[in-house]
């Protein structure tokens, strides 16, 4: 999975930085299983389109909808550089069919 474009950037009063990313594939449940190898994933299935959140405590969180191609990533400013590197590496190394291996 590759980042196609960064759409928005916002510095929040709580010291985090929010970025909106468009990616080249839809978010699947398989991708969320893969994310779970790096942190905590929660999925709200009781919605028309399931909502998910991922958290790598003290580094960053990701939110979005299953089936969308947009990811909202909130970085902790003090770890922003290494967090962004981890986030992009996670996306680049993910291969459909290999979750949980």
């Amino acid at each position: 999975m590759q980042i196609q474009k960064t759409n928005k950037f916002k510095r929040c009063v709580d010291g985090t930085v929010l970025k909106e990313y468009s990616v080249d594939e839809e978010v699947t449940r398989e991708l969320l299983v893969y994310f779970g190898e790096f942190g905590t994933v929660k999925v709200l299935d009781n919605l028309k389109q399931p909502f998910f959140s991922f958290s790598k405590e003290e580094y960053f969180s990701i939110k979005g909808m299953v089936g969308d191609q947009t990811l909202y990533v909130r970085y902790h400013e003090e770890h922003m550089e290494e967090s962004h590197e981890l986030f992009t590496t996670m996306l680049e190394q993910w291969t459909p069919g290999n979750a949980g291996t």
Side-chain angles (χ1 to χ4, degrees):
M1 179 176 282
Q2 299 291 318
I3 295 171
Q4 296 296 303
K5 122 178 141 172
T6 303
N7 298 320
K8 295 180 183 174
F9 164 81
K10 180 180 180 183
R11 191 169 306 275
C12 303
V13 295
D14 66 357
T16 60
V17 176
L18 179 64
K19 289 191 178 187
E20 178 183 323
Y21 296 97
S22 294
V23 293
D24 63 346
E25 300 175 42
E26 289 184 358
V27 173
T28 62
R29 291 184 183 275
E30 185 180 16
L31 176 63
L32 299 179
V33 169
Y34 169 73
F35 280 174
E37 296 174 16
F38 299 93
T40 304
V41 174
K42 295 179 184 175
V43 180
L44 297 176
D45 283 315
N46 58 342
L47 304 171
K48 185 175 181 180
Q49 185 175 8
F51 170 83
F52 77 90
S53 64
F54 163 84
S55 177
K56 177 75 173 165
E57 204 162 313
E58 298 300 317
Y59 287 89
F60 66 100
S61 63
I62 304 170
K63 293 183 180 180
M65 305 295 275
V66 175
D68 274 358
Q69 290 181 258
T70 303
L71 299 173
Y72 301 91
V73 182
R74 185 177 299 273
Y75 296 101
H76 291 269
E77 196 167 24
E78 63 271 12
H79 300 289
M80 183 138 175
E81 189 174 317
E82 62 263 32
S83 295
H84 179 71
E85 187 174 319
L86 175 59
F87 169 66
T88 56
T89 300
M90 286 169 54
L91 292 181
E92 291 168 357
Q93 291 184 353
W94 180 71
T95 304
N98 289 332
T101 59

